[in-house]
Amino acid sequence: LESIYEEHVLPALEKKIADVYVSAEKTRKYFLGVIIVSVVAFVLPLVGLVFAIPSLLSTYADIGGL
């Protein structure tokens, strides 16, 4: 019974574990890419606002005489 387990079941389990590891690594890389894209999509508009808000305030001050 032990020899059957070692010959057939153990290699099948090892292959399944290796497949799960590969799948988990692909998922990890996917999530890392999604996080990077999300951060870039959030930070770039903030950087733009840092430059746009002073310009808009300056324009409003010139127009309105604040």
Side-chain angles (χ1 to χ4, degrees):
L1 185 62
E2 271 187 43
S3 65
I4 293 173
Y5 181 77
E6 290 175 0
E7 288 179 18
H8 299 290
V9 177
L10 196 57
L13 288 176
E14 288 174 348
K15 183 185 181 315
K16 288 180 182 180
I17 290 171
D19 291 344
V20 168
Y21 176 78
V22 168
S23 175
E25 283 299 307
K26 287 180 182 178
T27 303
R28 184 185 65 84
K29 289 179 183 177
Y30 172 76
F31 277 121
L32 181 63
V34 168
I35 288 171
I36 289 172
V37 168
S38 298
V39 167
V40 167
F42 182 74
V43 170
L44 284 180
L46 291 180
V47 171
L49 285 176
V50 167
F51 294 104
I53 289 175
S55 174
L56 289 173
L57 290 177
S58 173
T59 303
Y60 285 135
D62 291 343
I63 292 173
L66 295 174

